[in-house]
């Protein structure tokens, strides 16, 4: 049994009845032994009816164990039916990579919204994760917010496997639909010049329409800011509210340009807070966004 399977089993044992767990184990065994496809599809659909939909009762140690197995895996918001369905996905025979992907394609093609959420949030746990890039890029274009968030937020798959084009589109869409950027795993690691340009262009579109932009937009920009973006940051520092000013100051602090450092020095309180470690992107996410990673 894989480490992921062991963790999911352990968590479900704590969270569901013995009868429900026994049913799940029976279905896993049938699917793993090559039962007809209808056994999988019937069981996958029936999981909530047998296990319920309550949240997994996870401890801090459980979440740490998840991180140890797959960095970025955060099942703290998972429900028991989501964990159970993931175990059924992991039970599908997968000796043949293309056959496994075809099986997943069938599941995706018939899934309802709740099932799609499970499928996308399980991607980093499934066999052959490198073969799910196209599927993930398709999911990013979904009009269902729950599905998009299952991909973009608290999920290590995009940062680990998407190319820059798909990654940048995902981050830009997260800004567009007002998703909290600090919940995107790997946001700082995957920041890049093209994404910085796209986000700056988006900010200009919003400003032209007399609308605001989320201060988090500046987080992936700082290291790649050019002179034009420094001018944008100057505008935000001069006219923004406190959270916008803090975000712009953090972006300046991360820029290698002397122009950015000179701009930041004009705001000694913010500069001092950053230098003393009192203002960081983590503290900003907690104070301005009300949530920690």
């Amino acid at each position: 049994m894989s480490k992921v399977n062991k963790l999911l089993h352990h968590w479900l044992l704590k969270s569901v009845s013995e009868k429900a767990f026994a049913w799940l184990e029976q279905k896993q065994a049938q699917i793993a032994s090559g039962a007809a496809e209808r056994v999988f599809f019937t069981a996958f659909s029936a999981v909530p009816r047998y296990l319920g939909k309550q949240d997994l009762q996870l401890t801090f140690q459980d979440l740490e164990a998840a991180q140890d197995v797959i960095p970025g895996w955060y099942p703290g918001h998972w429900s028991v039916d989501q964990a159970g369905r993931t175990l059924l996905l992991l039970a599908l025979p997968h000796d043949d990579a293309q056959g496994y992907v075809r099986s997943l394609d069938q599941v995706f093609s018939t899934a309802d919204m709740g099932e799609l959420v499970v499928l996308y949030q399980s991607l980093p746990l499934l066999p052959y994760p490198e073969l799910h890039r196209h599927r993930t890029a398709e999911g990013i274009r979904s009009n269902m917010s729950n599905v998009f968030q299952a991909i973009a937020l608290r999920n290590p798959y995009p940062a680990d496997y998407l190319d820059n084009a798909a990654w940048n589109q995902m981050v830009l869409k997260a800004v567009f639909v007002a998703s909290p950027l600090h919940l995107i795993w790997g946001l700082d690691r995957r920041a890049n010049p093209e994404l910085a340009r796209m986000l700056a262009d988006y900010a200009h579109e919003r400003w032209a329409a007399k609308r605001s932009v989320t201060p988090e937009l500046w987080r992936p920009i700082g290291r790649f800011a050019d002179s034009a973006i420094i001018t944008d940051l100057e505008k935000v520092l001069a006219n923004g509210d406190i959270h916008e000013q803090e975000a712009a100051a953090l972006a300046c602090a991360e820029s290698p340009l002397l122009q950015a450092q000179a701009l930041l020095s004009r705001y000694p309180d913010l500069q001092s807070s950053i230098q003393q470690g009192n203002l960081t992107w983590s503290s900003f996410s907690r104070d301005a966004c009300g949530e920690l990673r």
Side-chain angles (χ1 to χ4, degrees):
M1 183 183 293
S2 73
K3 291 180 179 179
V4 169
N5 272 275
K6 287 180 180 177
L7 287 177
L8 291 171
H9 271 88
H10 174 62
W11 299 337
L12 283 174
L13 268 173
K14 298 192 300 181
S15 303
V16 302
S17 69
E18 290 184 12
K19 182 179 179 181
F21 190 78
W23 173 84
L24 182 66
E25 284 203 307
Q26 180 194 41
K27 296 304 174 185
Q28 280 183 267
Q30 291 174 344
I31 294 166
S33 63
E37 285 182 350
R38 62 178 174 74
V39 174
F40 169 82
F41 282 99
T42 302
F44 194 70
S45 174
V47 167
R49 191 163 72 248
Y50 284 88
L51 270 61
K53 293 185 176 182
Q54 66 274 25
D55 291 339
L56 284 172
Q57 300 301 309
L58 301 184
T59 65
F60 178 74
Q61 289 73 26
D62 292 328
L63 297 176
E64 279 195 325
Q67 289 280 336
D68 288 342
V69 173
I70 298 179
W73 181 25
Y74 182 85
H77 59 299
W78 282 30
S79 55
V80 295
D81 57 306
Q82 291 175 333
R85 280 174 162 160
T86 301
L87 280 173
L88 295 185
L89 290 169
L90 291 167
L92 283 169
H94 52 267
D95 290 340
D96 170 38
Q98 296 305 323
Y100 186 74
V101 171
R102 280 196 298 274
S103 296
L104 280 186
D105 285 343
Q106 284 184 274
V107 188
F108 270 99
S109 66
T110 59
D112 61 25
M113 186 177 70
E115 292 167 344
L116 284 174
V117 168
V118 175
L119 288 163
Y120 281 115
Q121 71 185 13
S122 299
L123 286 179
L125 315 180
L126 301 182
Y128 313 110
E130 69 280 2
L131 298 181
H132 308 319
R133 293 187 179 100
H134 179 69
R135 172 66 65 187
T136 306
E138 279 189 347
I140 289 170
R141 293 191 288 272
S142 171
N143 292 324
M144 293 181 278
S145 60
N146 288 352
V147 170
F148 174 74
Q149 290 180 359
I151 299 169
L153 307 185
R154 300 183 187 276
N155 186 343
Y157 187 89
D160 290 344
Y161 293 100
L162 291 184
D163 61 25
N164 270 4
W167 168 263
N168 291 348
Q169 285 299 323
M170 186 194 78
V171 176
L172 184 62
K173 182 170 179 177
V175 173
F176 185 76
V177 301
S179 293
L181 297 194
H182 63 282
L183 296 183
I184 297 177
W185 176 260
L187 179 65
D188 299 325
R189 171 166 60 88
R190 290 294 306 270
N192 60 79
E194 178 64 12
L195 177 61
R197 185 193 62 75
M198 293 166 66
L199 293 174
D201 288 347
Y202 175 78
H204 279 266
E205 290 174 12
R206 296 279 294 184
W207 289 338
K210 308 297 183 186
R211 305 183 72 174
S212 62
V213 298
T214 172
E216 285 194 293
L217 174 142
W218 303 109
R219 181 167 179 167
I221 289 181
R223 281 185 290 144
F224 306 100
D226 56 17
S227 293
I229 291 176
I230 300 300
T231 301
D232 293 338
L233 294 172
E234 183 176 13
K235 174 183 174 180
V236 175
L237 280 163
N239 303 316
D241 64 23
I242 182 59
H243 295 316
E244 291 169 330
Q245 290 179 323
E246 288 177 345
L250 285 165
C252 284
E254 293 180 344
S255 170
L257 298 182
L258 293 177
Q259 185 183 357
Q261 302 311 313
L263 172 60
L264 181 58
S265 69
R266 289 158 50 187
Y267 298 86
D269 289 346
L270 290 170
Q271 185 182 42
S272 176
S273 292
I274 293 171
Q275 290 173 340
Q276 294 176 16
N278 296 324
L279 175 58
T280 64
W281 281 117
S282 292
S283 72
F284 179 84
S285 299
R286 180 190 62 225
D287 298 336
C289 307
E291 193 166 5
L292 284 170
R293 184 180 294 275

